[in-house]
Amino acid sequence: MTSNLTWHEAAISREERTTRNGYEGKIIWFTGLSASGKSTIANAFSRRLFELKKEVYVLDGDNIRQGLNKDLGFGDDARKENIRRIGEVAKLLIDSGQYALTAFISPFREDRQIVRDLVNEGEFIEVFVKCSIEACEARDPKGLYKKARNNEIPHFTGISSPYEEPTEPEIIIDSENFTVEQCVERLLKELNIKTN
């Protein structure tokens, strides 16, 4: 199927983009349970990076499933394909010199490792947005936990489908006990991004 394809080198190299930007593109991969705060923190962090004149884009789970991945369901195989596709898109974004912030439950360690293996060492930063299922369920902004408990949503992570916490994430963000602003400040510090 791919035997007649040839890779075309880009006219602008990654090194040129890095030199002009003054920083390297990275995948900042936010993982955690539904309602843990992944999208909220990723978007607040993207706003801060944008204000610091960094090129940044957020790939959000719900948004991607309304376009690129609207053909995928929520069974294990579909979830794996969802993450594989996102990994490839994020790789393109960092190749263009951007920070690619991804907000996906991405419940399986193996799938997150596949994305990590797509890029060079140090270009994939796993951020575990740590929040107990009790706190996530109490928040439940979309009413999904209630539906899952009523068996209206099959394969719901944390209820009827497993979530495998990262074993060695680069960063752990405690969204249960810290504000969004505090989480953003922690990310800036951990990633050594200068704010002045």
Side-chain angles (χ1 to χ4, degrees):
M1 186 171 158
T2 59
S3 61
N4 295 317
L5 300 178
T6 303
W7 183 265
H8 282 270
E9 291 299 327
I12 305 164
S13 71
R14 177 185 286 201
E15 291 74 21
E16 288 176 291
R17 293 180 196 279
T18 298
T19 299
R20 187 171 75 175
N21 291 343
Y23 59 88
E24 292 181 342
K26 292 189 186 308
I27 297 173
I28 314 295
W29 192 278
F30 294 84
T31 179
L33 293 169
S34 180
S36 61
K38 298 178 302 298
S39 293
T40 302
I41 294 167
N43 276 284
F45 186 49
S46 75
R47 167 53 62 183
R48 192 68 186 280
L49 289 174
F50 183 77
E51 290 168 353
L52 292 169
K53 310 262 189 274
K54 311 292 186 193
E55 297 295 327
V56 59
Y57 195 84
V58 177
L59 297 168
D60 177 80
D62 281 358
N63 293 356
I64 292 292
R65 281 187 175 272
Q66 293 180 53
L68 177 67
N69 290 348
K70 68 181 176 182
D71 61 321
L72 298 175
F74 289 89
D76 288 356
D77 288 344
R79 286 174 181 261
K80 288 175 181 295
E81 177 60 12
N82 183 51
I83 297 307
R84 187 196 70 77
R85 290 182 192 178
I86 295 316
E88 293 290 350
V89 172
K91 181 181 176 183
L92 291 172
L93 290 175
I94 69 165
D95 195 47
S96 75
Q98 298 190 59
Y99 284 102
L101 311 185
T102 70
F104 293 83
I105 294 170
S106 49
F108 304 120
R109 291 185 194 108
E110 178 184 7
D111 298 339
R112 299 190 300 263
Q113 184 62 48
I114 286 169
V115 178
R116 184 185 292 272
D117 291 342
L118 286 175
V119 296
N120 296 324
E121 188 173 342
E123 292 179 343
F124 180 94
I125 309 297
E126 188 174 39
V127 178
F128 176 33
V129 182
K130 187 174 183 179
C131 188
S132 69
I133 193 160
E134 294 79 13
C136 291
E137 199 162 353
R139 292 173 182 172
D140 203 12
K142 302 171 191 173
L144 299 178
Y145 282 96
K146 184 177 180 182
K147 288 181 179 178
R149 292 286 185 195
N150 290 331
N151 296 316
E152 295 173 46
I153 303 176
H155 310 294
F156 190 80
T157 304
I159 304 294
S160 54
S161 187
Y163 176 74
E164 298 173 355
E165 291 187 2
T167 54
E168 296 181 31
E170 280 75 12
I171 303 171
I172 298 175
I173 296 293
D174 181 353
S175 66
E176 188 169 346
N177 297 300
F178 293 92
T179 67
V180 172
E181 293 74 21
Q182 288 171 320
C183 291
V184 167
E185 290 304 317
R186 171 86 189 277
L187 287 165
L188 290 168
K189 182 178 179 183
E190 291 284 342
L191 293 166
N192 198 28
I193 296 173
K194 298 195 183 337
T195 58
N196 51 25

